[in-house]
Amino acid sequence: ETGVTQSPTHLIKTRGQQVTLRCSSQSGHNTVSWYQQALGQGPQFIFQYYREEENGRGNFPPRFSGLQFPNYSSELNVNALELDDSALYLCASSSRVSSYNEQFFGPGTRLTVL
Amino acid sequence: AQSVTQLDSHVSVSEGTPVLLRCNYSSSYSPSLFWYVQHPNKGLQLLLKYTSAATLVKGINGFEAEFKKSETSFHLTKPSAHMSDAAEYFCVVSAPLDEAAGNKLTFGGGTRVLVKP
């Protein structure tokens, strides 16, 4: 069974640029969630995708957007990068079949905005 | 709405002594609660979960947690700490999304555990 993978591992961008982060979900999982973890804090929910549609969203502006593909992999796009976007971005996959919707996390992508 | 408060940002223990990480939660729903661990430069790993079955939950690596509804607490314990337990620990509540089926996780601020030899 392949776990959740994310790419790239690290990324450095400058203010105003755009970035795309990628996630492959665990085998058999059809739901992907994205979280932002700022330094020294707990992860915060950005949004969730199910059947290629955004299924719910946290308190993040529209310049944070995403996609889910038919194979359940996902992308997180951030436009007009700001310094505060520097964080570890975590992807988690889960299965709707599970009654408690346990989420399995990837290793994350560390984004630095200069 | 749901929230999680981890009462200690840092905990320092000696190897072989007990570990206690405290967590209080608030949830509008009957909660599903989790503890995750994050080692440096690694992803989050699930330690254990409470989903309205037994109130005492056993997890991996000797950890366990007790759900106390009257105290809205879900404290994590381990009888004897190992050096490998040094990591960041997160208490998490799961709640349904407003818009549709599915759930989102709300994390506490984390507790960093230091284990002294």
Side-chain angles (χ1 to χ4, degrees), chain A residues 26-39:
Chain A
Q26 185 167 311
S27 175
H29 288 178
N30 55 19
T31 302
V32 174
S33 304
W34 285 91
Y35 294 83
Q36 180 195 65
Q37 185 178 15
L39 196 62

Side-chain angles (χ1 to χ4, degrees), chain A residues 56-70:
Chain A
R57 189 176 186 93
N59 189 26
F60 282 81
R63 59 189 185 84
F64 285 78
S65 63
L67 285 172
Q68 187 182 31
F69 301 99

Side-chain angles (χ1 to χ4, degrees), chain A residues 34-38 41-47 59-60, chain B residues 105 107:
Chain A
W34 285 91
Y35 294 83
Q36 180 195 65
Q37 185 178 15
Q41 298 181 23
Q44 294 204 340
F45 175 72
I46 303 175
F47 44 53
N59 189 26
F60 282 81
Chain B
L105 303 183
F107 286 74

Side-chain angles (χ1 to χ4, degrees), chain B residues 42-64:
Chain B
K42 296 210 172 168
L44 290 158
Q45 180 184 20
L46 180 68
L47 279 178
L48 49 79
K49 55 184 179 260
Y50 167 77
T51 55
S52 74
T55 56
L56 184 62
V57 182
K58 294 189 183 298
I60 62 171
N61 300 336
F63 285 94
E64 63 180 38

Side-chain angles (χ1 to χ4, degrees), chain B residues 69-83:
Chain B
K69 185 175 180 179
S70 61
E71 299 176 10
T72 61
S73 70
F74 190 55
H75 301 334
L76 181 71
T77 60
K78 182 173 181 178
S80 176
H82 294 163
M83 296 298 293

Side-chain angles (χ1 to χ4, degrees), chain B residues 4-36:
Chain B
V4 180
T5 302
Q6 292 184 241
L7 300 172
D8 307 288
S9 59
H10 293 80
V11 167
S12 181
V13 299
S14 297
E15 191 175 19
T17 64
V19 181
L20 169 65
L21 305 183
R22 298 181 295 164
C23 171
N24 288 112
Y25 71 91
S26 171
S27 177
S28 306
Y29 307 92
S30 181
S32 292
L33 294 161
F34 305 82
W35 276 97
Y36 280 87

Side-chain angles (χ1 to χ4, degrees), chain A residues 1-78:
Chain A
E1 185 178 86
T2 306
V4 179
T5 60
Q6 294 185 243
S7 63
T9 306
H10 296 85
L11 205 51
I12 299 175
K13 292 284 188 178
T14 57
R15 272 188 308 175
Q17 286 189 312
Q18 179 265 343
V19 68
T20 297
L21 310 182
R22 294 179 175 83
C23 171
S24 292
S25 49
Q26 185 167 311
S27 175
H29 288 178
N30 55 19
T31 302
V32 174
S33 304
W34 285 91
Y35 294 83
Q36 180 195 65
Q37 185 178 15
L39 196 62
Q41 298 181 23
Q44 294 204 340
F45 175 72
I46 303 175
F47 44 53
Q48 184 176 96
Y49 275 81
Y50 173 65
R51 290 185 174 176
E52 303 176 51
E53 296 284 336
E54 186 179 292
N55 191 49
R57 189 176 186 93
N59 189 26
F60 282 81
R63 59 189 185 84
F64 285 78
S65 63
L67 285 172
Q68 187 182 31
F69 301 99
N71 66 355
Y72 306 128
S73 66
S74 177
E75 287 182 354
L76 165 66
N77 299 290
V78 186

